[in-house]
Amino acid sequence: YLIMESTQRGAHLTPTEFHEAFEANVGAWKLKERPFVTLTYAQSLDGCISKERGKPLLLSGKESMIMTHRLRAIHEGILVGVGTVIADNPSLTTRLVKGDSPRPIIMDTSLRTPLTSKLMKRTTNKPIIITTKAKKDTETEQRKEALKKAGASIFECETDSRGRVGIDSMLKCLQPHVSSIMIEGGASIIESFLKTTEDAKTSRVDQLILTIAPTIVGNGLSPYKDLPFASSEACPRMKDVKYATVGIDVMML
């Protein structure tokens, strides 16, 4: 697994400087093989993103939520898993700031995205739904046709070793359609992107923005539990770390 070098000291920025830093990172992207990937999520002091799977927990404060909406506004796509769509029914808009909302992208191997979800009820900018090329049963094919009829674009990608959507294949599929993607979760999606590519040579994440809320969940849901890092030397590290105090939270870049 890739080991990313880290600096000895991080840079403490103002919220405005923090916003300018992540905007500059996205704007500098030149690679054509896949979109720029920003992974962002909020966690508690003990590394939990919710109390239990399928039950959302609001961790971050209002100010860092506004910062997250600013981040959305500079990306062309925003990706979540179907579990997040079912549990949270998110809008994934930029309603708290000025700017265009990114196009929703849903990782959904079994095509379980509800037709009644907010993302499917949009009048414009309908979601891209990512599934696999694997043969589907009659019921799944019917859901596929219903989603297409409702305006969703269905992309079929290669599977990974667990029969789910392959991350690397998905990024290649998306490259002609969006130049930058913001990953918002949930836990399984975060875990997948924290792993290196299938050849274990490069990271899938170009920019990680972590919001740390000043709270302890205790025995909650963590995206780190199943990461296959055999030793501390193999654990990936952030480099050129920057951080800002945003309201009651700390945001790291």
Side-chain angles (χ1 to χ4, degrees):
Y1 290 89
L2 179 71
I3 302 176
M4 297 180 287
E5 295 181 359
S6 63
T7 54
Q8 294 297 314
R9 297 176 59 186
H12 189 190
L13 307 181
T14 67
T16 298
E17 291 170 335
F18 191 85
H19 173 263
E20 291 171 349
F22 66 63
E23 187 173 32
N25 287 345
V26 177
W29 184 245
K30 302 298 183 184
L31 191 64
K32 301 299 183 183
E33 287 77 13
R34 64 167 177 80
F36 183 91
V37 174
T38 297
L39 175 61
T40 180
Y41 55 97
Q43 70 170 46
S44 62
L45 291 172
D46 53 341
C48 299
I49 62 172
S50 68
K51 186 64 179 174
E52 57 184 289
R53 192 176 298 276
K55 293 187 177 181
L57 176 65
L58 182 61
L59 289 170
S60 52
K62 180 181 178 181
E63 293 85 354
S64 53
M65 283 293 295
I66 292 172
M67 186 71 79
T68 297
H69 280 230
R70 288 178 179 171
L71 186 59
R72 289 177 180 179
I74 63 173
H75 287 81
E76 293 184 5
I78 182 167
L79 186 146
V80 295
V82 66
T84 296
V85 176
I86 293 171
D88 298 1
N89 195 19
S91 299
L92 303 182
T93 64
T94 56
R95 64 188 182 279
L96 299 181
V97 299
K98 292 182 179 180
D100 295 332
S101 295
R103 187 173 186 184
I105 303 166
I106 306 169
M107 286 184 66
D108 185 2
T109 302
S110 301
L111 297 172
R112 296 185 295 130
T113 299
L115 293 171
T116 55
S117 63
K118 291 177 182 177
L119 298 181
M120 288 302 302
K121 289 294 185 180
R122 287 185 171 199
T123 55
T124 60
N125 216 16
K126 293 279 191 173
I128 295 172
I129 298 179
I130 309 292
T131 184
T132 69
K133 294 181 178 179
K135 186 175 181 180
K136 297 168 177 59
D137 58 29
T138 302
E139 185 177 344
T140 306
E141 284 290 347
Q142 290 174 346
R143 292 199 298 270
K144 174 183 173 181
E145 293 306 312
L147 289 166
K148 289 171 64 176
K149 187 175 180 180
S153 299
I154 309 294
F155 290 7
E156 295 184 335
C157 302
E158 302 294 341
T159 59
D160 62 13
S161 59
R162 297 181 296 178
R164 300 177 182 178
V165 174
I167 300 295
D168 302 324
S169 174
M170 178 194 69
L171 291 175
K172 289 180 181 178
C173 288
L174 289 171
Q175 192 278 330
H177 306 277
V178 290
S179 63
S180 56
I181 303 173
M182 178 172 169
I183 314 296
E184 282 205 13
S188 297
I189 303 298
I190 294 169
E191 177 193 322
S192 295
F193 275 89
L194 285 173
K195 295 176 181 177
T196 53
T197 51
E198 291 174 5
D199 61 9
K201 293 181 180 179
T202 55
S203 173
R204 294 185 171 109
V205 177
D206 305 299
Q207 176 171 250
L208 172 63
I209 299 179
L210 178 62
T211 301
I212 303 174
T215 187
I216 295 174
V217 172
N219 196 29
L221 179 64
S222 169
Y224 311 118
K225 290 181 179 178
D226 296 322
L227 290 176
F229 304 130
S231 66
S232 58
E233 290 78 13
C235 297
R237 296 177 182 271
M238 297 175 70
K239 63 179 180 179
D240 301 324
V241 176
K242 301 173 180 65
Y243 64 96
T245 304
V246 183
I248 62 172
D249 305 317
V250 172
M251 298 186 75
M252 297 177 62
L253 165 63

